[in-house]
Amino acid sequence: CMGVTGRPAAGEDIAVARDIILSELTGCHLHVAHVSSARAVELIRQAKKRGSRVTTEVTAQHLYFTDDYLKGYEPVYKMAPPIRAEKDRQALIEGVLDGTIDAIITDHAPHANEEKDVPFCCAPNGIAGLETSLSSVLTMLYHTHRLSIDRIVELMSTNPARLLRVEGGILDAGKPADITVINPDYEWTVHGKDLYTKTLFTPYEGITLKGKAVLTLVDGQVVMKEGKVLK
Ligand SMILES: [Zn+2]
């Protein structure tokens, strides 16, 4: 007990089980957003084995952090769903590796400093995930030899595009030139003050990550080069 209202994994597990049952009843595609518990991953794995129309995704930060980080009551680690136990984090990684989890996402939810810099109980959920998610995934899963770059591109680009039914994630003539160039060996230490997001808080503060997006094109135009956003 930490003196704050908990959000036990049982709540997520029950909701996911219910929604899978309803999806199977109606034949509707179910996408489970931000899966975070070991049992929910297992429920989705079994549903997929039965041929159910279920997809899911996980945030980069749920693959990196555990509830150990919550012990200091720092609002920077407050997100929804909450970061859970190490066994949940391991199950999420397993779900990514075996294809149960279709995509890894940023869940970019920045808050202004004055909103987030309040006692834990009052702080809003969510962190700025955009500028750290790729680096986090490369550090956690590529440099530990668990995922290839090709697989990471699938999980973070091609599959999300397919799930959202938007063009993109494909390099081909006539397709949108929305391109990210990655340097997988670029090491950098994260400091919230250096990020472009409106929040100075990041759970990765002071953490050294390996791998970074070094160039971004949107519709054929270079919009970011070596960490600098261009007008
Ligand atoms: Zn979200």
Side-chain angles (χ1 to χ4, degrees), residues 22-221:
L22 290 172
S23 160
E24 290 177 351
L25 174 71
T26 59
C28 279
H29 171 212
L30 168 68
H31 181 74
V32 178
H34 315 354
V35 69
S36 74
S37 80
R39 196 179 282 158
V41 172
E42 183 54 26
L43 286 165
I44 294 163
R45 180 178 290 121
Q46 295 306 324
K48 283 187 160 188
K49 276 191 189 149
R50 292 194 296 274
S52 308
R53 295 180 64 206
V54 179
T55 53
T56 190
E57 105 265 311
V58 65
T59 83
Q61 41 275 23
H62 284 87
L63 295 171
Y64 197 98
F65 296 101
T66 63
D67 54 7
D68 242 16
Y69 285 84
L70 290 166
K71 286 181 180 154
Y73 294 90
E74 288 179 61
V76 71
Y77 300 106
K78 187 174 177 183
M79 55 192 91
I83 41 177
R84 300 197 189 278
E86 176 62 12
K87 75 168 174 42
D88 295 300
R89 191 181 75 90
Q90 290 300 334
L92 293 170
I93 291 173
E94 200 47 51
V96 168
L97 298 185
D98 77 3
T100 299
I101 296 174
D102 302 89
I104 303 172
I105 59 144
T106 66
D107 196 23
H108 187 63
H111 298 281
N113 298 310
E114 61 271 25
E115 292 177 281
K116 195 78 169 163
D117 192 14
V118 295
F120 188 87
C121 59
C122 314
N125 287 305
I127 68 146
L130 193 61
E131 291 167 84
T132 47
S133 58
L134 174 67
S135 299
S136 177
V137 170
L138 289 168
T139 304
M140 183 60 72
L141 297 174
Y142 171 69
H143 288 294
T144 56
H145 312 289
R146 286 184 279 188
L147 284 182
S148 66
I149 292 285
D150 284 359
R151 195 58 193 119
I152 290 171
V153 169
E154 260 175 31
L155 287 157
M156 299 191 78
S157 179
T158 327
N159 287 357
R162 182 173 53 79
L163 287 168
L164 292 166
R165 297 199 191 103
V166 295
E167 274 202 293
I170 291 166
L171 288 178
D172 208 353
K175 296 288 177 193
D178 296 341
I179 298 166
T180 303
V181 180
I182 298 167
N183 178 347
D185 295 320
Y186 186 101
E187 285 193 65
W188 63 297
T189 302
V190 182
H191 294 295
K193 65 175 173 50
D194 300 332
L195 300 178
Y196 275 88
T197 173
K198 68 178 175 179
T199 175
L200 295 172
F201 293 100
T202 165
Y204 296 95
E205 183 67 41
I207 292 177
T208 297
L209 299 175
K210 192 170 182 185
K212 201 173 197 295
V214 291
L215 189 83
T216 309
L217 282 89
V218 175
D219 205 17
Q221 304 292 314

